């Protein structure tokens, strides 16, 4: 049995949905950030798989995955700074309790 | 061919089980370690997909930088890796149902669709091609992404420093 494009797509779909579950269900802000990282990785798998199977001569999918990684690094740095600030104010990072700006 | 299949399924099992560990374990420190396993498995997939540069960048940025950043945040915020604190919110059941339905829809779409795949003609030198593309066709996005990284860096420092 040969590995096709759909194998990678199904694996990326599962990884994306596990990350989505983490984002939706976690109380902890750092746990939510980990879920986001999983989802970004799933998107990256899709980019590189499409690049390898559909346009093997033009590797623009790999370039896009480099951009996604740079965005993920920037997002992680800013989000962790925000989490540290929230922790200073609330001494807690449970997102269900952080409702000061909800209404 | 049989070896490729075997390696793919082993990497897939590693990725999926570690990812489930990342979202379900109670101790956040262990979650971060599981996240490293996911990233290494994904890097292995990139090697299989003829993208060695992306695989090495994945290990450098995700395993080297982002995980260390996450570990710093975990250690700087107390009380979050306590086993007694409930880790999930009230919507777990609904989330699980929705996510399972979503994965079924996505997988069905990916399997049913006839992708216009091409055979990989010959080994291309992807690293030199990436370098050439980044400095010709994708020069503008490349510069913009460096400015975004710089802005994010400065913003993170400004927000995280004490007043």
């Amino acid at each position: 049995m040969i590995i096709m494009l759909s194998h990678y797509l199904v694996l990326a779909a599962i990884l994306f949905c596990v990350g989505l579950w983490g984002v939706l269900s976690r109380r902890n802000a750092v746990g939510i950030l980990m879920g986001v990282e999983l989802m970004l990785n799933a998107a990256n798998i899709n980019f590189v798989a499409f690049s390898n199977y559909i346009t093997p001569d033009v590797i623009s999918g790999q370039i896009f995955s480099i951009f996604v990684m740079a965005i993920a690094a920037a997002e992680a740095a800013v989000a962790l700074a925000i989490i540290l600030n929230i922790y200073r104010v609330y001494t807690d990072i449970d997102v269900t309790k952080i409702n000061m700006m909800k209404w | 061919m049989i070896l490729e299949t075997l390696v793919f399924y082993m990497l897939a099992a590693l990725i999926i089980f570690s990812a489930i560990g990342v979202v379900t374990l109670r101790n956040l420190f262990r979650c971060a370690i599981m996240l490293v396993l996911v990233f290494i498995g994904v890097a292995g997939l990139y090697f299989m997909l003829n993208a060695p540069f992306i695989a090495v960048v994945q290990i450098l940025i995700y395993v080297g930088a982002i995980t260390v950043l996450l570990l710093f945040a975990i250690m700087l915020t107390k009380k979050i890796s306590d086993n007694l604190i409930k880790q999930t919110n009230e919507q777990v059941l609904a989330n699980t149902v929705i996510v399972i339905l979503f994965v079924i829809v996505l997988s069905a779409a990916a399997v049913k669709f006839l992708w216009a795949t091409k055979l990989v003609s010959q080994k291309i030198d992807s690293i030199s091609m990436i370098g050439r593309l980044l400095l010709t066709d994708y020069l503008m996005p490349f510069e913009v992404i460096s400015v975004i990284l710089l802005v994010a860096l400065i913003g993170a420092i400004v927000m995280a420093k004490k007043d």
Side-chain angles (χ1 to χ4, degrees), chain A residues 44 48 59 61-67 69, chain B residues 42-62 124-134 142:
Chain A
N44 258 350
V48 179
I59 51 170
Q62 297 191 22
I63 307 267
F64 271 89
S65 71
I66 292 175
F67 290 144
M69 280 180 193
Chain B
V42 174
L45 281 189
Y46 293 156
F47 274 117
M48 286 180 67
L49 285 167
N50 298 321
F53 180 72
I54 308 293
V56 173
V57 168
Q58 162 93 5
I59 291 176
L60 270 177
I61 293 183
Y62 277 105
I124 48 167
D125 187 5
S126 66
I127 296 179
S128 67
M129 220 167 148
I130 286 173
R132 212 172 297 124
L133 278 177
L134 275 182
F142 182 63

Side-chain angles (χ1 to χ4, degrees), chain A residues 1 26-27 53 57 85 88, chain B residues 5 25 88 129 159-160:
Chain A
M1 187 171 157
R26 277 261 171 175
R27 276 168 184 272
Y53 280 95
D57 309 319
N85 257 340
R88 273 194 209 122
Chain B
T5 311
L25 283 182
T88 50
M129 220 167 148
M159 273 194 286

Side-chain angles (χ1 to χ4, degrees), chain B residues 21-94:
Chain B
V22 169
V23 292
T24 52
L25 283 182
R26 302 185 83 85
N27 188 336
L28 260 196
F29 199 85
R30 290 189 188 154
C31 293
I33 303 300
M34 291 304 235
L35 201 60
V36 170
L37 286 182
V38 174
F39 292 155
I40 290 174
V42 174
L45 281 189
Y46 293 156
F47 274 117
M48 286 180 67
L49 285 167
N50 298 321
F53 180 72
I54 308 293
V56 173
V57 168
Q58 162 93 5
I59 291 176
L60 270 177
I61 293 183
Y62 277 105
V63 182
I66 291 184
T67 314
V68 173
L69 214 59
L70 283 172
L71 286 177
F72 264 115
I74 292 169
M75 288 176 191
L76 285 173
T77 52
K78 285 176 300 199
K79 194 172 138 181
I80 56 175
S81 57
D82 197 338
N83 281 337
L84 297 175
I85 300 172
K86 203 162 174 289
Q87 289 289 338
T88 50
N89 57 20
E90 307 84 38
Q91 305 142 10
V92 184
L93 203 67

Side-chain angles (χ1 to χ4, degrees), chain A residues 68-85:
Chain A
V68 172
M69 280 180 193
I71 295 290
E75 168 252 336
V78 174
L80 289 175
I82 292 174
I83 290 171
L84 284 185
N85 257 340

